[in-house]
Amino acid sequence: MYKNNTQVVSVKLPSVPPMVENLVCKSKKEFLDVLAKALSKSGGAFAKVFGKVEGTPYYATLIIDREKVLAIEVLEVGSNASIVGRPAIEIMMDIVKSGSFIVDVFPLTDVELKVSIMDNMEVYSLTPKVRLEEICSDLASMVVKETPQEIPVSVPETTQIEKPKPKPQKPKTEIKITSPVEFDPYLRGMARKIKNALKGFGITPERIEIEAKEVRYALGAGKGLHATVRIVAKGLDGKAKREIENFIYREAGELSKEIGERVVISKIEFS
């Protein structure tokens, strides 16, 4: 749900036949390939994407042109909460990184695309105009280039070809959020920023947990979101911990402005 206005928005879709339905994509490249195919003969498209992020099911609806996302809404299936704006973009990025998701794609003519924008002006105005490459950030472009023909090279029998060494896998950070569902995307974004701040010290944390609950103050003083942050990471000295703590408090202040509700960091734990 978009916290800055108290209504749930919903993307309206035109009645057009699908190009593909219930297509299981197992990689970002497969997703971009099917979008590229739809966009090769149309001015735009809308897509429905169903996937899970850390076990939570989401249903995303996107309107796109040849280069970027024009409107996006993500439905958290369990609570039926509607998420738009930058948090919806971040959830969509997590869905396509999840390894397996289901896609429906509907090509739109130029006129149908413009009508769709007008019918979804509220969601359009809340959506950052992110390029499709950013959604699938490890792919450079949707443009399909011709593969140059390989020229056969004869190798003397005595020459030994060294096999490429497997690249070491980068350590991953587990992010766990326990909060009312409407705050999950915002706290998840905060956890990512903490992760990036730790990388500035050359440290990849094993786990970042944020546990938050909404507290209503007495005497009509309003309400706030009280959160505990737990960081599991090796190699943090005292100075780094203090800087990360200050970073978290600053981010809480920025988050308070974003959601229109006071965010209080009750405790920061390192282990």
Side-chain angles (χ1 to χ4, degrees), residues 64 85-86 221 249:
I64 62 176
R86 171 56 66 174
Y249 289 125

Side-chain angles (χ1 to χ4, degrees), residues 83-103:
I83 302 162
V84 294
R86 171 56 66 174
I89 292 287
E90 292 176 353
I91 291 173
M92 184 62 202
M93 294 172 74
D94 285 339
I95 289 174
V96 300
K97 287 192 294 186
S98 65
S100 191
F101 48 96
I102 300 171
V103 174

Side-chain angles (χ1 to χ4, degrees), residues 9-28:
V9 293
S10 181
V11 172
K12 301 178 184 66
L13 303 174
S15 298
V16 296
M19 185 187 78
V20 294
E21 278 188 296
N22 297 322
L23 175 68
V24 177
C25 289
K26 295 183 178 180
S27 69
K28 300 173 185 179

Side-chain angles (χ1 to χ4, degrees), residues 89 91 113 129 140 155 198 208 217 226 234 239 241:
I89 292 287
I91 291 173
L113 179 63
K129 303 307 180 280
V155 180
L198 286 163
I208 298 174
Y217 304 124
H226 288 217
K234 296 178 182 178
K239 180 182 177 182
K241 289 179 180 179

Side-chain angles (χ1 to χ4, degrees), residues 212-267:
K213 61 181 179 179
E214 202 167 26
V215 176
R216 192 173 295 276
Y217 304 124
L219 302 176
K223 56 185 179 179
L225 190 67
H226 288 217
T228 296
V229 180
R230 299 182 184 91
I231 298 172
V232 180
K234 296 178 182 178
L236 275 173
D237 57 20
K239 180 182 177 182
K241 289 179 180 179
R242 287 192 296 274
E243 291 197 26
I244 292 298
E245 286 176 348
N246 291 334
F247 176 82
I248 292 171
Y249 289 125
R250 288 197 301 272
E251 285 301 314
E254 293 299 317
L255 190 57
S256 298
K257 299 174 186 176
E258 186 175 357
I259 68 175
E261 191 168 311
R262 187 182 178 193
V263 178
V264 179
I265 303 298
S266 304
K267 187 188 296 183

Side-chain angles (χ1 to χ4, degrees), residues 32-57:
L32 277 186
D33 284 346
V34 71
L35 289 183
K37 184 177 179 181
L39 294 169
S40 66
K41 299 179 181 179
S42 65
F46 73 80
K48 299 179 182 179
V49 180
F50 177 85
K52 291 184 178 181
V53 178
E54 297 179 358
T56 301

Side-chain angles (χ1 to χ4, degrees), residues 61-266:
T61 304
L62 304 88
I63 299 174
I64 62 176
D65 63 12
R66 292 178 180 271
E67 295 182 348
K68 57 190 175 295
V69 177
L70 301 175
I72 181 171
E73 178 190 27
V74 175
L75 186 70
E76 204 276 359
V77 175
S79 66
N80 209 36
S82 174
I83 302 162
V84 294
R86 171 56 66 174
I89 292 287
E90 292 176 353
I91 291 173
M92 184 62 202
M93 294 172 74
D94 285 339
I95 289 174
V96 300
K97 287 192 294 186
S98 65
S100 191
F101 48 96
I102 300 171
V103 174
D104 300 341
V105 178
F106 303 74
L108 300 174
T109 64
D110 288 337
V111 173
E112 288 168 341
L113 179 63
K114 289 178 173 61
V115 170
S116 296
I117 294 171
M118 293 303 297
D119 287 344
N120 297 282
M121 189 54 69
E122 183 179 3
V123 183
Y124 174 85
S125 64
L126 296 171
T127 299
K129 303 307 180 280
V130 175
R131 294 181 64 84
L132 294 168
E133 294 96 313
E134 186 176 333
I135 295 289
C136 301
S137 55
D138 63 348
L139 295 174
S141 174
M142 286 184 59
V143 179
V144 179
K145 298 180 180 179
E146 289 189 15
T147 304
Q149 293 183 349
E150 295 183 0
I151 302 174
V153 178
S154 59
V155 180
E157 292 182 3
T158 56
T159 302
Q160 293 184 351
I161 300 175
E162 185 179 350
K163 294 182 180 179
K165 296 179 180 180
K167 294 182 179 179
Q169 290 187 345
K170 293 182 180 179
K172 293 183 179 180
T173 300
E174 177 188 355
I175 293 177
K176 182 180 179 182
I177 307 297
T178 305
S179 75
V181 66
E182 64 266 29
F183 298 111
D184 182 288
Y186 301 96
L187 295 172
R188 198 171 296 277
M190 181 178 178
R192 290 193 188 95
K193 291 179 181 179
I194 296 171
K195 173 185 172 182
N196 291 336
L198 286 163
K199 283 186 176 180
F201 292 94
I203 294 172
T204 299
E206 296 175 23
R207 186 167 66 255
I208 298 174
E209 298 181 9
I210 301 179
E211 184 176 343
K213 61 181 179 179
E214 202 167 26
V215 176
R216 192 173 295 276
Y217 304 124
L219 302 176
K223 56 185 179 179
L225 190 67
H226 288 217
T228 296
V229 180
R230 299 182 184 91
I231 298 172
V232 180
K234 296 178 182 178
L236 275 173
D237 57 20
K239 180 182 177 182
K241 289 179 180 179
R242 287 192 296 274
E243 291 197 26
I244 292 298
E245 286 176 348
N246 291 334
F247 176 82
I248 292 171
Y249 289 125
R250 288 197 301 272
E251 285 301 314
E254 293 299 317
L255 190 57
S256 298
K257 299 174 186 176
E258 186 175 357
I259 68 175
E261 191 168 311
R262 187 182 178 193
V263 178
V264 179
I265 303 298
S266 304

